[in-house]
Amino acid sequence: MAAWDLSIILEDLGPDTPPITLSVSSDLHVGGVIIKLVEKTQMKRDWSDYALWWEQKQQWLLRTAWTLEKYGIHADARLLFIPQHKPLKLGLPSGMTLKVWASFSSPVFQAVMTICRILNIRHPEELSLLRPLEEKKKKKDKDKVGEIYDLTGVLSTSSSPVSLYNDVPAHFADSAEMEAIYKMLSVTQTQPAPEIITKQYRPSSVVDKAHINGRWLDSSRCLRQQGVQENDLLWLRFKYYSFCDIEPKYDAVRLTQLYEQARWAILLEDIDCTEEEMMLFGALQYHIGKVSQSEPERMSTNAAMENLESALQSLEVKMEGGSSSASDMLDTMMAPELSDYLKIFRPKKLTLKGYKQYWFKFQDTSISYFKSKEESVGEPIQQINLKGGEVAPDVNVASQKFLIRLLIPSPEGMNEVYLRCENEQQYAHWMAGCLLASKGKSLADSSFQSEIQSIRSFLAVQKTNSGSSSHTLASDESMNTHSLVSPRYHKKYKPKQLTPRILEAYQNISQLSMTDAMMRFLQTWQALPDFGISYVVVRFKGSRKDEVLGIASNRLIRIDLGVGDVVKTWRYNNMKQWNVNWDIRQVAIEFEGNVNVAFSCVTADCKIVHEFIGGYIFMSTRSREKSGTLNEELFHKLTGGHEAL
């Protein structure tokens, strides 16, 4: 084959150094080109991390056995010989900025896995990288960058589980300084000053919230392909809101960062909540802040107790796994009976106006209702199967309002049903039953009683305490109320009005350990009606106006921009297939019952929407047994799009 000249730029030699010219032939493989190049430079150094980057095609030449001809490289190709790993600034949910060593050549999904490994965050598939918001910089703020903690020296290469020494990963235990950084990652930060909260960007509408999701990086392409440069700042955030087994014992950093992300979502009104819920969130933050100062040792529970708990849990899993017909019969016999008079209301159904009382009966994962108790022997008026549905509380203890909001899957979308309970006792039992049934569990499940308990404690927090008890805590000088609630409440109330209300809620949770308080915060956040919905502005096929698509862990939601109402809901478990036409950038989805939906994306690339849907379907395939190993290939199949095929 004829020889020809190939020019390669070596970035390390400086921008003004001319490229190095090699004489090559088209059948020379990439590895051979690198050997020739290294010999010609005559520089003694470790070249193992270096690779060739093809500038015009925005592509790494990582397959060293491929020939130049196979890659399609000619004399006009602009090639760079550069390191694959470079430093990257990483903004965490807690506001800390780290400098980490990141791969600029592997897909973002893998780069995030490595970063999470270094930080000791399990389940890295739930996180991704996000371009930060461009802030309008004033001249004064030009040099004002917070402290950056350098972790470029920390490398975690092995793929075995991270080993902990005194609750610190081995790769952080080298020096006191590194240990201190790890402790900062795994302990919640102090309350932000109110002026910091008011300065932060707050989305004022669903469209504003939608713009954020346009900034996620593509998981299947590398950082360099997406224009990320050395030392650029990216945010590491939880992207998929389906969190696999959170174990406080192993998840110190993960739990803290998740709590911080939830806290900022509440403070910046990224998610709506009622006034009572805001006071509870404020009380929990106040308590966590208080305990974190007085409790340097993070794990408050005795280690022996924790080991016992985990042993009992694994025993429970084993018992659940080996269910024989005899144990099934036993379960059915032991299952608690739930039947009572409740009231039902169906919005948008003209036949039933207001609430009507019926006799309700719980059977397995379904609720049946009858005209009266006497008629419950015969056929029910209707049977509602809750499996795969959604259950949300709508409660106000002060006004004795105990509603259970059910969203029941059906071929044409979701049907909404409200159940009204008479009192707390009835509500706690039926709510617990509905929550279990929606997860496919019956009342015989071992978690039924604990579910009732957590609902009761949630109601206790809402209860307004008698004047005498709140007097004892009526003022706490150290409480900065405006750091605990969102700016809307700063405008609405003075601190002396907020303090007693937050302390009122605080009384019910003041006995919790720090870990339990953080878990309670996350559970309350996850129980909010709008939890876990990522918004994108889209244009549906055949429509003339923009609308909003909400993407959640189990469904897609069509929202009318004009009134902000939910128009339609489609479940993933009714989805037959989804495709993207990459030429016209349109997503098309087919559901059971010949329901077809197609839309183009306005505020985000359709790849981002495709990745959200595929990512959530991937999350639902994870099981408890396989939680240690991640099926990376399946993730890329579901999220990668045409490039992955």
Side-chain angles (χ1 to χ4, degrees):
M1 276 213 172
W4 43 278
D5 285 348
L6 179 66
S7 300
I8 298 172
I9 298 160
L10 196 59
E11 243 181 23
D12 289 11
L13 301 177
D16 304 327
T17 317
I20 295 167
T21 306
L22 303 174
S23 176
V24 299
S25 59
S26 294
D27 61 348
L28 181 65
H29 53 72
V30 170
V33 174
I34 292 173
I35 292 167
K36 276 193 166 195
L37 179 68
V38 169
E39 283 170 355
K40 196 158 183 180
T41 61
Q42 294 182 336
M43 287 162 67
K44 292 268 180 284
R45 62 155 74 182
D46 180 2
W47 296 102
S48 60
D49 191 45
Y50 280 67
L52 289 170
W53 168 259
W54 187 359
E55 189 71 38
Q56 293 104 316
K57 285 274 176 89
Q58 291 284 297
Q59 180 187 355
W60 288 93
L61 309 182
L62 297 176
R63 294 183 172 166
T64 46
W66 279 25
T67 61
L68 296 175
E69 187 178 23
K70 192 165 183 181
Y71 264 121
I73 289 170
H74 305 293
D76 60 351
R78 185 178 151 82
L79 297 182
L80 279 73
F81 192 51
I82 48 176
Q84 297 176 58
H85 289 78
K86 292 186 174 185
L88 183 72
K89 286 188 201 130
L90 202 63
L92 298 183
S94 61
M96 270 177 87
T97 305
L98 307 173
K99 196 174 195 177
V100 294
W101 208 242
S103 167
F104 277 66
S105 62
S106 50
V108 164
F109 185 73
Q110 278 175 14
V112 170
M113 280 174 78
T114 311
I115 289 167
C116 286
R117 222 190 134 58
I118 291 170
L119 303 181
N120 191 24
I121 296 175
R122 296 189 314 138
H123 299 294
E125 67 276 12
E126 295 166 1
L127 298 97
S128 193
L129 296 170
L130 191 66
R131 295 180 199 277
L133 283 162
E134 291 77 32
E135 288 181 27
K136 296 185 181 81
K137 287 216 162 79
K138 297 182 183 135
K139 280 186 182 171
K140 272 191 280 185
D141 292 354
K142 215 171 185 182
D143 309 315
K144 194 182 158 194
V145 175
E147 190 172 349
I148 295 171
Y149 299 93
D150 193 346
L151 294 183
T152 48
V154 179
L155 297 169
S156 176
T157 45
S158 70
S159 55
S160 58
V162 175
S163 47
L164 300 177
Y165 298 97
N166 294 333
D167 292 338
V168 176
H171 52 269
F172 274 98
D174 298 343
S175 68
E177 188 190 352
M178 294 312 273
E179 274 197 34
I181 293 176
Y182 184 76
K183 287 267 158 61
M184 288 176 76
L185 291 171
S186 57
V187 175
T188 173
Q189 304 302 297
T190 49
Q191 298 299 339
E195 52 273 19
I196 290 177
I197 298 175
T198 42
K199 268 186 195 167
Q200 297 277 338
Y201 169 77
R202 289 205 315 284
S204 57
S205 65
V206 180
V207 176
D208 283 357
K209 291 176 190 176
H211 279 286
I212 278 186
N213 291 312
R215 301 200 324 273
W216 288 106
L217 290 188
D218 187 332
S219 291
S220 32
R221 292 164 71 223
C222 69
L223 291 173
R224 193 172 176 97
Q225 283 173 319
Q226 301 184 65
V228 178
Q229 302 291 319
E230 179 177 345
N231 282 319
D232 275 2
L233 173 69
L234 291 175
W235 286 350
L236 180 71
R237 293 290 185 271
F238 288 87
K239 176 179 180 179
Y240 299 103
Y241 294 95
S242 55
F243 312 118
C244 202
D245 64 347
I246 296 175
E247 297 255 358
K249 190 178 173 187
Y250 308 109
D251 285 330
V253 178
R254 181 175 172 226
L255 180 58
T256 301
Q257 298 304 327
L258 185 53
Y259 162 71
E260 291 286 350
Q261 187 165 325
R263 168 162 87 158
W264 281 105
I266 298 291
L267 289 177
L268 299 177
E269 294 166 9
D270 210 13
I271 183 167
D272 294 331
C273 65
T274 63
E275 206 163 291
E276 278 99 353
E277 285 160 344
M278 184 59 86
M279 297 310 147
L280 172 57
F281 285 127
L284 284 163
Q285 287 177 77
Y286 171 65
H287 179 56
I288 291 164
K290 237 174 133 165
V291 178
S292 66
Q293 287 163 4
S294 63
E295 187 187 297
E297 284 313 306
R298 178 66 191 284
M299 300 308 159
S300 54
T301 1
N302 186 325
M305 278 302 287
E306 281 196 347
N307 293 342
L308 178 66
E309 272 172 33
S310 62
L312 284 170
Q313 241 173 358
S314 66
L315 183 67
E316 193 180 298
V317 172
K318 279 178 195 154
M319 285 172 75
E320 273 181 15
S323 72
S324 63
S325 56
S327 69
D328 283 351
M329 277 170 64
L330 194 66
D331 274 358
T332 328
M333 283 158 65
M334 301 291 284
E337 271 284 301
L338 256 196
S339 51
D340 214 338
Y341 278 109
L342 300 174
K343 289 181 176 169
I344 188 170
F345 169 61
R346 292 171 170 279
K348 297 178 190 157
K349 278 267 170 95
L350 300 171
T351 47
L352 286 177
K353 287 198 168 77
Y355 285 91
K356 273 197 164 185
Q357 184 166 295
Y358 292 98
W359 177 259
F360 281 81
K361 205 172 176 181
F362 226 114
Q363 287 158 321
D364 208 17
T365 58
S366 302
I367 293 178
S368 308
Y369 61 93
F370 307 83
K371 265 195 170 168
S372 65
K373 186 178 179 178
E374 292 71 40
E375 293 184 24
S376 63
V377 199
E379 281 293 303
I381 295 171
Q382 196 194 0
Q383 189 174 29
I384 303 169
N385 191 354
L386 301 177
K387 192 174 177 179
E390 267 165 68
V391 184
D394 187 355
V395 178
N396 189 325
V397 181
S399 58
Q400 288 292 296
K401 172 182 161 194
F402 301 106
L403 292 185
I404 300 171
R405 182 168 164 253
L406 303 173
L407 281 169
I408 312 299
S410 72
E412 64 279 352
M414 298 289 275
N415 291 330
E416 200 172 19
V417 177
Y418 282 91
L419 296 182
R420 185 173 210 126
C421 300
E422 283 303 306
N423 50 43
E424 284 176 48
Q425 176 83 355
Q426 194 185 48
Y427 171 78
H429 281 78
W430 284 86
M431 184 67 180
C434 291
L435 287 167
L436 287 180
S438 68
K439 297 173 194 160
K441 296 176 180 177
S442 73
L443 301 181
D445 194 83
S446 56
S447 58
F448 181 52
Q449 289 305 326
S450 60
E451 197 73 64
I452 293 174
Q453 252 342 93
S454 66
I455 292 165
R456 279 184 176 152
S457 53
F458 174 72
L459 293 174
V461 170
Q462 269 214 12
K463 257 191 198 165
T464 47
N465 296 333
S466 56
S468 58
S469 56
S470 53
H471 267 304
T472 52
L473 283 165
S475 67
D476 181 342
E477 298 308 316
S478 66
M479 185 190 281
N480 190 344
T481 52
H482 286 173
S483 296
L484 303 170
V485 295
S486 66
R488 186 157 38 121
Y489 295 97
H490 307 188
K491 296 185 185 111
K492 197 171 174 184
Y493 299 110
K494 293 186 175 75
K496 62 177 182 220
Q497 292 171 298
L498 283 171
T499 306
R501 294 194 60 189
I502 291 173
L503 286 169
E504 214 167 79
Y506 167 69
Q507 288 193 335
N508 295 296
I509 50 118
S510 59
Q511 300 308 310
L512 294 177
S513 72
M514 180 153 144
T515 307
D516 290 343
M518 286 166 96
M519 291 297 277
R520 175 70 67 84
F521 192 99
L522 293 176
Q523 284 160 359
T524 313
W525 174 54
Q526 286 171 288
L528 295 175
D530 294 342
F531 165 77
I533 303 174
S534 306
Y535 301 98
V536 181
V537 177
V538 297
R539 175 74 61 93
F540 280 92
K541 195 177 176 182
S543 173
R544 289 185 170 185
K545 57 178 188 184
D546 288 350
E547 288 174 80
V548 171
L549 182 75
I551 308 165
S553 64
N554 54 0
R555 67 199 191 282
L556 296 174
I557 306 153
R558 183 175 182 170
I559 300 164
D560 186 313
L561 254 180
V563 284
D565 281 356
V566 173
V567 179
K568 207 97 178 126
T569 307
W570 301 284
R571 318 272 306 175
Y572 297 151
N573 54 12
N574 290 340
M575 191 191 283
K576 278 176 141 179
Q577 60 169 353
W578 85 99
N579 302 301
V580 181
N581 183 329
W582 299 103
D583 299 325
I584 58 168
R585 319 299 286 172
Q586 189 182 67
V587 182
I589 309 173
E590 187 189 336
F591 293 95
E592 286 169 4
N594 294 331
V595 177
N596 291 296
V597 180
F599 54 83
S600 54
C601 305
V602 180
T603 53
D605 193 280
C606 62
K607 169 72 169 80
I608 289 175
V609 173
H610 171 60
E611 206 172 290
F612 260 119
I613 297 171
Y616 273 128
I617 289 168
F618 173 76
M619 300 296 151
S620 69
T621 65
R622 300 178 298 176
S623 69
R624 200 164 175 168
E625 298 78 44
K626 294 182 196 158
S627 57
T629 54
L630 201 57
N631 189 341
E632 218 177 303
E633 192 189 342
L634 179 64
F635 181 87
H636 285 302
K637 259 185 189 163
L638 288 167
T639 62
H642 62 327
E643 287 158 358
L645 300 173

